[in-house]
């Protein structure tokens, strides 16, 4: 789990609460239901209106991933593929079929099954690259949805402020109430800016970054499984994947290197 999004949001709101306390204000002055309902409700509604229902559903499904992060690491993927290269090198490609049921990653599992079935290398590459492209499209859609909400929210906040100020003008004959009413009117703008910069934009940016890493990992797996199919020695597979790894894999280089050396000696 990578809690960077959660940590960042908590620190951001903590800094906001610290500022409110230092200025001697009270947080209850900002927790006004009317502007919060308008800003959050209208922003989400406009975001849905700007796309399709399936886009919104995909964005909701992607939300847990934004807080949880990606499972596993490039190091684990490289070690896994090097292990399959060892099996293919020592026992033949058909032996990979025994690993299909145990493989949890559907992308790798399908590649293993195709290799064991004798699928042509060019066809296997096309299939895997098509899956990478499809996944990239879905991930971009989810990230764009939240980034779009971040663009709408400040404007919706301004709309709320204008509505509240209109209400204030109706009470010019009550000067004692003008100050609190004007202050409350700007709460909508505040929530528009807060929700955009503290919530929606960080989620969109986070999903975009996770998508980049996931696509790089899938590309790594594509090249790795094609190398396994071609019968490349484990140490060459490892070197190739280390060069493609999107994250630092120093430990994998040491541990994987020993595994690869053992496999080559066995071969």
């Amino acid at each position: 789990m990578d809690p960077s999004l959660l940590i960042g949001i908590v620190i951001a709101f903590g800094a906001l609460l610290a500022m409110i306390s230092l200025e001697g204000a009270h947080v209850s002055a900002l927790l006004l239901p009317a502007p919060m309902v308008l800003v959050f409700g209208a922003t989400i509604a406009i975001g849905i209106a700007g796309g399709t229902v399936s886009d919104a559903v995909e964005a909701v499904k992607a939300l847990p991933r934004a807080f949880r992060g990606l499972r596993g690491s490039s190091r684990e993927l490289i070690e896994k593929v090097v292990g399959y290269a060892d099996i293919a090198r020592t026992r033949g490609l058909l032996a990979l079929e025994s690993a299909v049921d145990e493989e949890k990653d559907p992308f790798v599992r399908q590649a293993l099954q195709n290799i064991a079935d004798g699928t042509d290398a060019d066809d296997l590459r096309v299939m895997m690259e098509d899956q990478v492209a499809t996944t990239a499209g879905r991930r971009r859609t989810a990230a764009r949805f939240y980034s779009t909400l971040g663009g709408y929210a400040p404007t919706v906040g301004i709309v709320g402020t204008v509505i509240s100020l209109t209400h204030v003008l109706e009470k010019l004959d009550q000067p004692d109430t003008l100050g609190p009413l004007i202050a409350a009117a700007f709460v909508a703008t505040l929530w528009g800016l807060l929700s955009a910069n503290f919530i929606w934009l960080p989620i969109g940016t986070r999903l975009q970054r996770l998508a980049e890493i996931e696509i790089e990992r899938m590309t790594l797996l594509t090249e790795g499984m094609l190398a396994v199919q071609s019968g490349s020695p484990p140490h060459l597979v490892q070197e190739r994947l280390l060069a493609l790894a999107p994250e630092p894999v120093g430990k994998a280089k040491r541990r994987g290197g020993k595994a690869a050396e053992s496999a080559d000696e066995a071969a």
Side-chain angles (χ1 to χ4, degrees):
M1 181 174 178
D2 179 2
S4 61
L5 177 63
L6 187 60
I7 293 173
I9 290 177
V10 169
I11 292 176
F13 277 99
L16 175 67
L17 292 175
M19 175 186 172
I20 293 173
S21 299
L22 290 173
E23 290 190 345
H26 198 278
V27 70
S28 61
L30 305 181
L31 298 177
L32 302 179
M36 293 177 69
V37 168
L38 173 69
V39 170
F40 284 97
T43 298
I44 293 173
I46 294 171
I48 295 173
T52 65
V53 173
S54 61
D55 291 345
V57 171
E58 189 67 35
V60 172
K61 290 181 179 177
L63 192 57
R65 188 172 66 253
F67 286 92
R68 183 185 64 236
L70 297 175
R71 292 194 174 102
S73 65
S74 296
R75 171 179 59 82
E76 295 171 353
L77 295 180
I78 292 174
E79 290 176 350
K80 180 194 301 183
V81 175
V82 170
Y84 290 140
D86 178 31
I87 294 174
R89 185 82 170 172
T90 57
R91 296 161 52 193
L93 294 179
L94 284 176
L96 294 174
E97 191 167 17
S98 61
V100 172
D101 293 335
E102 298 178 0
E103 177 56 54
K104 296 180 181 178
D105 187 337
F107 185 64
V108 178
R109 184 166 61 244
Q110 186 175 2
L112 283 173
Q113 186 64 62
N114 280 291
I115 293 173
D117 291 344
T119 302
D120 181 75
D122 291 336
D123 292 337
L124 179 59
R125 175 180 288 279
V126 170
M127 284 190 290
M128 298 187 76
E129 288 180 347
D130 286 346
Q131 289 187 49
V132 172
T134 301
T135 302
R138 288 202 302 267
R139 301 294 186 256
R140 278 197 301 269
T141 297
R144 187 167 54 245
F145 179 84
Y146 290 105
S147 297
T148 302
L149 295 187
Y152 288 140
T155 305
V156 173
I158 292 172
V159 171
T161 297
V162 171
I163 294 173
S164 296
L165 289 177
T166 302
H167 181 60
V168 170
L169 293 176
E170 295 174 350
K171 302 203 174 204
L172 290 178
D173 57 339
Q174 304 174 23
D176 293 342
T177 63
L178 291 182
L181 287 175
I182 293 173
F186 284 99
V187 171
T189 299
L190 175 63
W191 275 110
L193 294 171
L194 276 180
S195 61
N197 294 283
F198 284 22
I199 299 176
W200 305 128
L201 291 177
I203 291 176
T205 305
R206 162 85 161 172
L207 286 175
Q208 180 62 39
R209 178 55 185 149
L210 292 178
E212 293 173 356
I213 295 175
E214 186 177 5
I215 297 308
E216 288 172 350
R217 287 183 181 179
M218 292 182 75
T219 302
L220 179 149
L221 287 171
T222 299
E223 298 301 328
M225 296 310 292
L226 288 170
V228 170
Q229 185 188 39
S230 67
S232 298
H235 75 278
L236 291 182
V237 174
Q238 181 191 41
E239 291 174 4
R240 167 73 170 151
L241 299 187
L242 285 172
L244 293 172
E247 303 155 291
V249 288
K251 291 183 179 178
K253 188 174 184 178
R254 292 193 294 272
R255 295 171 60 186
K258 291 178 182 177
E261 289 171 4
S262 300
D264 290 343
E265 289 173 2

